[in-house]
Amino acid sequence: MANPFENAKTQLAKAGKVRGFGKKELDVLMKINAIHEKELHVTLAGKETKLTAFRVQHNNARGPFKGGIRFHPDVNLDEVKALAFWMSMKCAVVNIPLGGGKGGVVVDAKNLSPKEYEDISRAYIKSMADHIGPDMDILAPDVYTNPQVMAWMLDEYEKIKGIKAPGVITGKPLAVGGSKTRDYSTAQGGVFVLKQAIDLFDMPPFNTKIVIQGFGNAGLHAARLLHRIGYKIIAVSDSKAAVYNEKGLDVPKLIIHKNSTGSVRGFPGKEISNEELLILDAHVLIPAALENMITKDNAGKIKAKIILELANGPVTPEADEILFKNDIFVIPDILANAGGVAVSYFEWVQNRTGYYWEEDDILEKLGILMFKAFKDVYEASKRYSIDMRTAAFIVGTSRILEAERFKGNL
Ligand code: NAD
């Protein structure tokens, strides 16, 4: 399995080569500001259990660290470092005043009871409380964490510190200071940039077939929003199964099915493997599950013309080369899924001002931000005749380096 942090380094080196970065610039960009590794003591299935937890803070030249927290058995330090690094790039690409951080707990969240979920969430904050804060490092949901988890974490933080500090965590329920649209903002941001890419390819909605891998927060809302504006979602998958219907899935019914059964398995359509799903004859492929799903082994078989990376790091660097050679337009994660952190930033602003915005205001602001980010990255890709990922790295790294220069760190 490719190491995501090595992938991140390869991506950065590629951008550095185009822009002629020296060792000094590369060192500043790769430097991890702090790594916090803790042991959480919780009771799981009646047994005292120790869980490993991480918080990695990559770069804060442009603002406080910002990044999600994931509960997953495969969480490891290199993965969290890569995700923190990508967060720094992502915030810079969409030009919001935040840096990059990420957290994780090594745990299989699928079989946790609500009480166990809550205990882990609170234990995580107890162990990290001195390293996070609205001006220091702001948390958010990621894989297998959700608004309820954010609410427990906020509550624990506020109890420890004895203050109200809703800005320490985003992706909260509305009742405790969340933002409207945050639940679907990652997907919405992706839809905004996908529409611009689709315009470049002149694909009308009713003819455009879309495949989505992963049917959680990012994938489900992407399916919902794209279906609503007329695109045909022909296949989706989750960790248990993949369903395919060449004529297009009935997405609203599929969402009801997923919510009531916990999986897309058993929904009317043909059940296929996740591997088959990736190489279906479609116009757009949306990986919205985990890293390293598109590798050198399957990249050459992909038929989609556009890949929208709602997941973080779903395409390995070797696969990137193959996709670029095959003229597949990859909208990279640090642009494609930046809608989530953009609305998290809006949530943080609302928390800090105590003034809450309406859904339409947020969508308008998000649209402007994503439109500008796509334009900046696309123009860089044309200017340097490079793929969109390297172009996004050039846009992001240039902004971080500019801040580092002003601070005297270069
Ligand atoms: P989630 O836990 O809500 O959903 C993950 C989905 O992927 C689930 O449906 C799960 O069943 C599925 N999955 C897991 N392994 C799979 C496999 N091998 N094949 C197919 N499906 C599989 O998580 P999410 O928040 O939707 O995050 C998904 C991806 O999007 C992650 O890479 C995450 O870092 C990224 N992301 C999420 C957000 C956000 O706001 N939620 C923001 C930016 C990036």
Side-chain angles (χ1 to χ4, degrees):
M1 178 66 82
N3 176 328
F5 195 56
E6 291 305 318
N7 291 353
K9 280 189 197 161
T10 307
Q11 293 163 346
L12 176 64
K14 209 167 154 190
K17 214 165 156 192
V18 177
R19 291 287 279 118
F21 291 159
K23 185 172 174 327
K24 217 167 173 188
E25 279 101 343
L26 291 175
D27 284 351
V28 163
L29 290 165
M30 253 359 268
K31 184 175 167 225
I32 303 276
N33 201 291
I35 294 173
H36 307 286
E37 183 171 343
K38 310 276 177 177
E39 209 168 63
L40 310 185
H41 295 247
V42 285
T43 306
L44 300 184
K47 274 208 307 217
E48 293 274 303
T49 311
K50 290 178 195 161
L51 301 175
T52 305
F54 300 104
R55 187 71 192 168
V56 171
Q57 296 164 328
H58 171 246
N59 183 291
N60 63 353
R62 292 169 43 86
F65 303 109
K66 175 86 187 88
I69 157 138
R70 140 181 324 197
F71 289 178
H72 198 275
D74 296 339
V75 163
N76 60 76
L77 188 55
D78 272 337
E79 179 189 66
V80 187
K81 276 159 66 180
L83 291 164
F85 169 84
W86 286 324
M87 279 304 293
S88 301
M89 297 302 141
K90 196 179 298 184
C91 293
V93 167
V94 286
N95 215 356
I96 56 178
L98 296 169
K102 199 81 185 188
V105 179
V106 186
V107 63
D108 187 353
K110 272 189 204 147
N111 302 315
L112 294 176
S113 69
K115 168 84 171 68
E116 291 167 339
Y117 238 106
E118 178 173 350
D119 288 350
I120 296 170
S121 306
R122 291 187 185 276
Y124 184 82
I125 294 299
K126 272 194 194 101
S127 74
M128 300 289 178
D130 286 342
H131 309 300
I132 60 174
D135 289 311
M136 200 190 297
D137 186 356
I138 306 142
L139 278 55
D142 192 70
V143 176
Y144 291 111
T145 55
N146 56 28
Q148 173 63 77
V149 171
M150 300 303 107
W152 287 322
M153 289 186 168
L154 172 64
D155 185 60
E156 191 62 33
Y157 182 81
E158 291 184 335
K159 276 184 181 143
I160 293 170
K161 298 288 173 186
I163 49 164
K164 287 284 161 199
V168 69
I169 197 155
T170 60
K172 304 178 291 290
L174 286 177
V176 292
S179 175
K180 287 183 177 162
T181 85
R182 178 60 185 91
D183 51 343
Y184 64 88
S185 58
T186 300
Q188 182 66 69
V191 171
F192 281 137
V193 290
L194 179 62
K195 273 167 60 185
Q196 291 180 75
I198 282 177
D199 283 349
L200 295 173
F201 285 80
D202 207 14
M203 294 175 184
F206 55 88
N207 264 338
T208 303
K209 293 188 274 183
I210 298 185
V211 165
I212 303 178
Q213 182 197 44
F215 209 58
N217 177 286
L220 181 150
H221 285 295
R224 181 177 68 75
L225 296 168
L226 288 164
H227 176 79
R228 201 170 67 188
I229 52 177
Y231 292 101
K232 210 189 272 181
I233 314 299
I234 61 163
V236 304
S237 65
D238 58 22
S239 60
K240 295 191 186 126
V243 282
Y244 168 55
N245 181 343
E246 198 198 356
K247 296 200 177 80
L249 295 161
D250 183 335
V251 174
K253 282 195 181 141
L254 176 60
I255 292 173
I256 295 170
H257 179 88
K258 167 84 183 174
N259 288 340
S260 59
T261 66
S263 171
V264 300
R265 168 160 284 151
F267 190 74
K270 190 175 166 201
E271 186 163 332
I272 57 172
S273 69
N274 242 300
E275 207 39 50
E276 288 171 309
L277 170 126
L278 292 174
I279 58 172
L280 280 173
D281 192 4
H283 298 97
V284 181
L285 171 62
I286 306 184
L290 295 172
E291 301 93 63
N292 296 325
M293 291 294 179
I294 301 173
T295 65
K296 62 178 176 7
D297 300 327
N298 57 16
K301 300 181 207 153
I302 287 178
K303 301 184 191 74
K305 279 275 123 216
I306 300 174
I307 295 181
L308 176 77
E309 292 185 341
L310 284 188
N312 284 310
V315 176
T316 65
E318 296 94 336
D320 248 343
E321 303 283 339
I322 299 169
L323 298 172
F324 190 57
K325 263 192 216 120
N326 290 351
D327 258 344
I328 296 173
F329 188 79
V330 178
I331 310 175
D333 45 10
I334 57 173
L335 170 63
N337 68 33
V341 72
V343 174
S344 275
Y345 162 58
F346 297 158
E347 181 174 334
W348 179 71
V349 172
Q350 293 170 77
N351 292 152
R352 315 210 70 190
T353 56
Y355 176 68
Y356 288 81
W357 310 343
E358 287 308 321
E359 188 158 0
D360 285 351
D361 293 336
I362 298 170
L363 290 178
E364 192 189 337
K365 286 184 173 67
L366 179 64
I368 292 169
L369 205 133
M370 296 306 296
F371 182 85
K372 173 81 171 61
F374 183 89
K375 187 167 168 282
D376 291 345
V377 173
Y378 186 64
E379 282 176 5
S381 81
K382 291 286 139 200
R383 189 175 330 125
Y384 297 105
S385 302
I386 44 167
D387 58 283
M388 288 284 281
R389 185 182 321 280
T390 311
F393 269 84
I394 285 176
V395 171
T397 53
S398 303
R399 290 180 179 149
I400 294 171
L401 289 175
E402 192 187 1
E404 295 282 17
R405 232 168 250 125
F406 275 115
K407 285 166 170 269
N409 295 333
L410 263 178

